[in-house]
Amino acid sequence: RFYHEKVVDHYNNPRNVGSFDASDPSVGTGLVGAPACGDVMKLQIRVGDDGKIVDSCFKTFGCGSAIASSSVASEWIKGKGMDEVSKITNNDIAKHLSLPPVKLHCSMLAEDAIKAAIKDYDAKRKK
Amino acid sequence: MLCPACKIIQPANRSVNFFDIFDLKKEFELDTGELEKRYKNLQKKLHPDLYSMKSSKEQEYSADQSSQVINAYQVLLKPLSRATYLLETFGVDVEEEGTVTDPEILMEVMEMQETISSCSDSNKLQALKEKAYSRMLEYQKTFAEAMKRSDLDAAKEAVQRMSYFHRIINTIIQKL
């Protein structure tokens, strides 16, 4: 199987692997899964007082493309505001990694993870 | 597969239902011993040696039929592929891209995967494998029950969960 060098890079040197305390009020957790291949992806954001994402981390169990997609997502969202971050699409990620058509659902999963993390943070803020 | 009148081999029917190939009921519960028996009987009739002196068309048809039978057998033999196939025959595509967001199942799967990746104790891994296997059996039961009451959505969800635990079991097997 051929993996684009960017995917291999993220797979071998994933950025921001880890876990935040999900109960921390400044943390938003996005937990998503892909029914087709059994991938699970957890993306977490830590939001600062200015409403910007100060830190992010992820944990993904799945194929190289899924790991790379979540690694890219975790990198891209750092330092950005939530509105800006929700504009990131699976197409952006897929293009960046040159994902083949059969792996496009991995980038979709990363987009869904970002949105889920934001949704979780917003829901916690409302409480 | 053989013409009833002249007993000459026919071309494989591409749209034949796998259960029909083995003359089995189109449901999830299946006696794999019986499936294997019927599979072997069919393969005896289609064995290439029986066709070595026949026309090239007949050789081609028998090879096609044989590979169709092998494929159908492999799909029906394993519960996950059997369930997925059964849903397909009802027009439901389990692999349809729709992100799963149910936190309960995802957290369970995530925790199991985290344990697997940080654990090297083969006894613990074996125990986890058994746990994953029993969860898979639970969802097999859920699937069968959902199909009986024609609840295709519940059936689809059950199959998706089965595939998560199937994935976990494979991960553990690779590690052990």
Side-chain angles (χ1 to χ4, degrees):
Chain A
R1 173 165 307 175
F2 174 73
Y3 281 108
H4 192 272
E5 59 186 37
K6 284 209 181 99
V7 174
V8 173
D9 177 34
H10 277 277
Y11 186 78
N12 287 330
N13 311 299
R15 338 289 201 235
N16 314 311
V17 172
S19 238
F20 296 149
D21 178 3
S23 56
D24 184 325
S26 66
V27 169
T29 301
L31 186 57
V32 293
C37 45
D39 290 348
V40 279
M41 196 182 277
K42 180 172 77 168
L43 184 79
Q44 289 179 301
I45 56 174
R46 189 188 300 281
V47 185
D49 299 327
D50 59 354
K52 289 214 162 102
I53 294 172
V54 299
D55 201 5
S56 70
C57 67
F58 80 96
K59 260 206 189 152
T60 294
F61 293 100
C63 64
S65 302
I67 292 170
S69 296
S70 44
S71 176
V72 164
S74 73
E75 267 194 321
W76 283 2
I77 61 182
K78 275 192 185 167
K80 298 204 168 92
M82 312 247 254
D83 284 340
E84 201 185 334
V85 149
S86 27
K87 295 208 181 86
I88 295 175
T89 67
N90 60 316
N91 281 328
D92 301 326
I93 299 173
K95 258 199 173 135
H96 179 79
L97 293 170
S98 304
L99 291 183
V102 56
K103 289 296 179 184
L104 289 180
H105 67 275
C106 296
S107 57
M108 190 68 234
L109 202 61
E111 182 192 320
D112 287 341
I114 295 173
K115 296 194 156 76
I118 294 174
K119 196 167 158 200
D120 179 58
Y121 175 76
D122 283 342
K124 276 158 100 169
R125 293 262 294 178
K126 292 204 168 83
K127 286 205 183 125
Chain B
M1 55 191 58
L2 304 177
C3 164
C6 55
K7 307 286 186 228
I8 295 187
I9 188 123
Q10 301 300 300
N13 177 353
R14 290 270 156 260
S15 56
V16 69
N17 185 301
F18 291 177
F19 290 95
D20 286 336
I21 291 178
F22 302 103
D23 197 19
L24 290 166
K25 264 172 124 175
K26 294 182 183 68
E27 55 186 23
F28 180 68
E29 283 96 345
L30 184 137
D31 178 353
T32 52
E34 187 58 36
L35 171 67
E36 195 178 332
K37 208 170 98 189
R38 295 182 191 198
Y39 165 67
K40 288 187 172 151
N41 279 338
L42 280 176
Q43 287 298 74
K44 272 195 212 134
K45 295 200 181 106
L46 295 167
H47 197 279
D49 287 353
L50 295 171
Y51 288 87
S52 57
M53 301 303 280
K54 302 261 163 102
S55 70
S56 61
K57 259 273 170 283
E58 285 171 279
Q59 285 181 10
E60 187 191 316
Y61 291 167
S62 71
D64 275 351
Q65 294 251 18
S66 181
S67 63
Q68 193 181 60
V69 166
I70 292 171
N71 183 46
Y73 169 69
Q74 285 171 343
V75 166
L76 294 184
L77 185 63
K78 288 180 260 122
L80 180 56
S81 50
R82 187 189 324 143
T84 305
Y85 177 72
L86 195 52
L87 277 179
E88 250 174 59
T89 63
F90 281 87
V92 176
D93 181 7
V94 169
E95 310 244 312
E96 196 188 311
E97 311 313 345
T99 303
V100 172
T101 50
D102 183 334
E104 237 184 271
I105 179 84
L106 289 176
M107 273 206 266
E108 187 183 356
V109 171
M110 190 113 228
E111 269 162 37
M112 279 189 170
Q113 290 276 26
E114 279 175 341
T115 307
I116 297 169
S117 65
S118 57
C119 176
S120 3
D121 179 343
S122 61
N123 287 328
K124 284 214 180 91
L125 286 175
Q126 188 63 26
L128 196 58
K129 183 172 141 210
E130 260 139 56
K131 170 116 200 269
Y133 189 65
S134 77
R135 292 290 277 139
M136 201 167 137
L137 287 178
E138 272 172 47
Y139 283 114
Q140 280 178 34
K141 221 170 133 221
T142 307
F143 174 76
E145 280 159 16
M147 289 305 281
K148 285 215 171 81
R149 46 173 214 275
S150 305
D151 186 350
L152 294 181
D153 284 334
K156 180 174 170 180
E157 192 184 87
V159 171
Q160 289 173 349
R161 281 151 198 229
M162 274 165 67
S163 71
Y164 271 113
F165 291 107
H166 179 78
R167 177 63 173 283
I168 287 173
I169 292 168
N170 280 343
T171 308
I172 297 177
I173 291 176
Q174 276 178 8
K175 209 170 172 196
L176 281 173

